[in-house]
């Protein structure tokens, strides 16, 4: 088995990110959705660090795609409820319903454990992704997952490792690439990279491209430490990135640059080729999304990809201290903000394993006469 590599902890860097974030304009700080999660996220990072972060069950790490968990390890309602309580989300469960659910789920869980496991699921979906990668002339094995962070799920397929989540991201990536255009040497930009999975695929496919990523802390801290291990000299970490001059292209061309969200204004004068957002805008407030898209338009990408729930990741009527967005982020917001310069080339269901077609992928193309 490939050697497992652990991430380095740097709590001083984490604290520095948090302090810098507090000074930023409200449009670039965590909105209510993620501000609520931080109450559990920061204590977890300070207590447990980043060791084995990809096998943590019922952790906030899973909410932004940082974990790779085996199916059989998550069929446990009491643990789910315990985690919900820690993250102040217990209000979403009615106690009487919970006890009934546990009685119903017990026999179902036993059957589930006998008949379904991650290996079966991954092997069932892998041929679909492999076929689509071949349409672009790419060998899917080059995009397999690393064992950095000691993932709980690492299934060997064709001699390489895959998890359900890594295969989901692979499918999202290749489905978009088939429908749009990006070539080696082009400039890629992403808001909300999470752990950095999307850029792993882009960086592997396009080794000479420049990639700039913007995110909020603490996610910023996790992706910084992960991408530093993953891409080494090609990666410009947070502490160096915030000192970069946009004009000094020789220092950042062809690199992967990670920056806090409030630096996007500084970089909005740089033309890019492809903008990407996957399941991140849906967790923000409407004015924040509109502001980001106005800056993206200034960067004049030829292509814009947005993956999101049609009505956002909305939990229902909002109450203070209970998380969620204050209003649903409906997909019409993207079209409304982009329609002056972009046309919606295609909208299709985002393919996820073991999930209904609840997300839509939107691919926008810049109008030929756009300013």
């Amino acid at each position: 088995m490939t050697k497992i590599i652990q991430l380095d902890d740097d709590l001083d860097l984490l604290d520095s990110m948090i302090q810098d974030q507090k000074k930023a304009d409200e449009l670039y700080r965590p909105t209510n959705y993620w501000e609520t999660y931080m109450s559990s996220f920061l204590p977890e990072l300070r207590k447990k660090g980043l060791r084995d972060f990809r096998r943590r069950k019922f952790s906030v790490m899973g909410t932004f795609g940082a974990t790779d968990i085996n199916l059989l390890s998550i069929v446990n309602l009491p643990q789910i409820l315990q985690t919900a309580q820690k993250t102040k989300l217990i209000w979403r469960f009615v106690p009487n319903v919970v006890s009934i659910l546990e009685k119903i789920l017990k026999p179902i869980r036993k059957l589930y454990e006998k008949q379904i496991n991650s290996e079966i699921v991954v092997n069932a979906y892998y041929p679909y992704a492999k076929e689509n990668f071949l349409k672009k002339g790419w060998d899917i094995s080059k995009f397999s997952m690393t064992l950095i962070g000691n993932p709980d799920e690492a299934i060997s397929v064709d001699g390489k490792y895959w998890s359900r989540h890594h295969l989901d991201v692979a499918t999202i990536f290749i489905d978009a690439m088939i429908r749009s255009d990006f070539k080696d040497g082009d400039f890629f930009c992403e808001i909300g990279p999470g752990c950095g999975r999307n850029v792993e695929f882009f960086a592997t496919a396009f080794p000479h491209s420049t990639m700039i990523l913007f995110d909020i802390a603490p996610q910023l801290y996790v992706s910084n430490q992960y991408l530093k291990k993953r891409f080494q000299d090609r990666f410009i970490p947070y502490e160096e990135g915030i000192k970069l001059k946009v004009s000094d292209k020789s220092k950042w061309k062809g690199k992967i640059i990670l920056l806090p969200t409030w630096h996007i204004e500084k970089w909005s004068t740089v033309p890019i080729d492809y903008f990407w957002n996957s399941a991140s805008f849906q967790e923000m407030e409407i004015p924040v999304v509109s502001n980001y898209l106005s800056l993206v338009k200034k960067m004049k990408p030829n292509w814009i990809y947005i993956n999101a729930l049609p009505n956002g990741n909305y939990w229902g009527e909002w109450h203070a201290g209970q998380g969620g967005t204050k209003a649903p982020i409906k997909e019409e917001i993207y079209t409304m903000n982009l329609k002056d310069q972009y046309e919606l080339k295609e909208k299709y269901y985002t393919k996820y394993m073991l999930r209904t077609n609840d997300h839509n992928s939107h691919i926008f193309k810049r109008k030929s006469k756009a300013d």
Side-chain angles (χ1 to χ4, degrees):
M1 190 172 187
T2 305
K3 182 182 178 182
I4 292 168
I5 300 172
Q6 297 289 356
L7 297 190
D8 299 319
D9 292 318
D10 188 345
L11 293 181
D12 287 340
L13 175 62
L14 173 61
D15 290 338
S16 176
M17 288 177 174
I18 297 298
Q19 292 307 312
D20 289 347
Q21 187 164 264
K22 289 179 179 178
K23 300 172 188 175
D25 187 287
E26 187 176 357
L27 284 170
Y28 305 108
R29 298 200 302 266
T31 52
N32 187 74
Y33 186 99
W34 273 103
E35 183 67 34
T36 305
Y37 273 123
M38 283 178 68
S39 63
S40 62
F41 196 0
L42 284 174
E44 178 179 333
L45 286 172
R46 287 172 176 147
K47 181 180 179 181
K48 296 182 178 180
L50 291 168
R51 185 176 179 82
D52 295 340
F53 77 99
R54 285 173 72 182
R55 59 175 49 236
R56 290 188 191 162
K57 303 171 182 66
F58 310 107
S59 164
V60 69
M61 295 276 196
T63 60
F64 61 98
T67 58
D68 295 85
I69 303 298
N70 188 286
L71 278 169
L72 301 186
S73 68
I74 61 174
V75 192
N76 190 322
L77 187 61
Q79 279 187 276
I80 293 173
L81 296 178
Q82 184 181 27
T83 303
Q85 188 173 31
K86 287 180 181 178
T87 55
K88 298 183 179 179
L89 302 180
I90 196 69
W91 62 273
R92 299 179 69 187
F93 297 89
V94 180
N96 291 337
V97 173
V98 168
S99 61
I100 294 170
L101 278 174
E102 177 59 18
K103 290 178 181 178
I104 295 172
L105 284 175
K106 191 173 181 179
I108 294 175
R109 185 164 62 242
K110 289 181 179 179
L111 180 64
Y112 178 84
E113 290 173 353
K114 287 180 181 179
Q115 296 187 353
I116 298 180
N117 60 49
S118 293
E119 188 171 356
I120 292 172
V121 174
V122 168
N123 277 284
Y125 280 85
Y126 179 80
Y128 169 84
K130 182 178 181 179
E131 182 180 350
N132 277 350
F133 272 80
L134 285 173
K135 290 178 183 177
K136 295 289 289 186
W138 292 333
D139 177 2
I140 193 174
S141 67
K142 294 180 180 179
F143 298 84
S144 60
M145 65 187 281
T146 73
L147 298 186
I148 298 171
N150 195 14
D152 181 50
E153 181 174 277
I155 295 159
S156 180
V157 186
D158 291 344
K160 298 289 185 176
Y161 292 109
W162 293 86
S163 68
R164 288 173 302 112
H165 180 58
H166 196 70
L167 194 52
D168 271 341
V169 179
T171 301
I172 293 170
F173 165 75
I174 197 60
D175 284 354
M177 289 297 95
I178 288 171
R179 293 169 167 87
S180 54
D181 181 53
F182 190 89
K183 59 184 181 297
D184 199 15
D186 282 355
F187 198 131
F188 169 86
C189 175
E190 181 177 15
I191 293 176
C195 184
R197 303 261 193 170
N198 297 315
V199 79
E200 278 192 88
F201 285 89
F202 272 93
T204 300
F206 309 107
H208 301 100
S209 288
T210 304
M211 312 206 165
I212 187 164
L213 319 173
F214 299 96
D215 212 340
I216 54 173
Q219 295 96 308
L220 187 66
Y221 170 71
V222 178
S223 57
N224 188 77
Q225 301 307 92
Y226 177 74
L227 293 172
K228 191 185 296 185
K229 287 283 187 185
R230 176 70 175 84
F231 291 105
Q232 301 180 30
D233 291 343
R234 189 179 174 189
F235 179 64
I236 299 178
Y238 174 91
E239 54 270 40
E240 296 177 26
I242 58 176
K243 300 174 184 177
L244 279 178
K245 292 182 179 179
V246 173
S247 59
D248 201 349
K249 194 174 181 179
S250 63
K251 290 187 176 179
W252 50 261
K253 185 179 180 182
K255 301 284 189 177
I256 301 167
I257 312 156
L258 184 68
L259 291 168
T261 48
W262 54 94
H263 274 235
I264 192 172
E265 286 189 10
K266 172 183 169 182
W267 286 83
S268 64
T269 58
V270 179
I272 65 173
D273 298 286
Y274 209 115
F275 172 77
W276 187 277
N277 182 273
S278 185
S280 172
F281 280 161
Q282 66 183 21
E283 298 167 352
M284 303 178 193
E285 303 299 335
I286 295 172
V288 173
V289 173
S290 297
N291 178 61
Y292 280 137
L293 288 176
S294 70
L295 293 169
V296 168
K297 287 194 294 184
K298 286 183 65 177
M299 302 169 89
K300 300 180 180 180
N302 294 318
W303 299 91
I304 292 176
Y305 173 85
I306 299 174
N307 173 34
L309 290 158
N311 293 307
N313 197 351
Y314 186 58
W315 297 352
E317 186 178 356
W318 180 81
H319 297 283
Q322 294 181 347
T325 58
K326 294 183 179 180
I329 310 300
K330 297 185 177 181
E331 61 185 5
E332 290 82 4
I333 292 168
Y334 312 130
T335 304
M336 181 184 68
N337 278 279
L338 295 171
K339 65 182 180 181
D340 60 327
Q341 296 181 25
Y342 291 84
E343 58 184 354
L344 181 61
K345 182 175 181 286
E346 190 168 355
K347 183 173 81 170
Y348 56 94
Y349 287 128
T350 307
K351 191 172 183 65
Y352 285 104
M353 290 184 287
L354 300 183
R355 185 168 183 155
T356 56
N357 294 327
D358 59 349
H359 280 68
N360 285 331
S361 286
H362 309 78
I363 295 182
F364 295 89
K365 192 176 189 306
R366 184 173 170 79
K367 295 177 181 178
S368 58
K369 295 182 180 180
D371 293 334

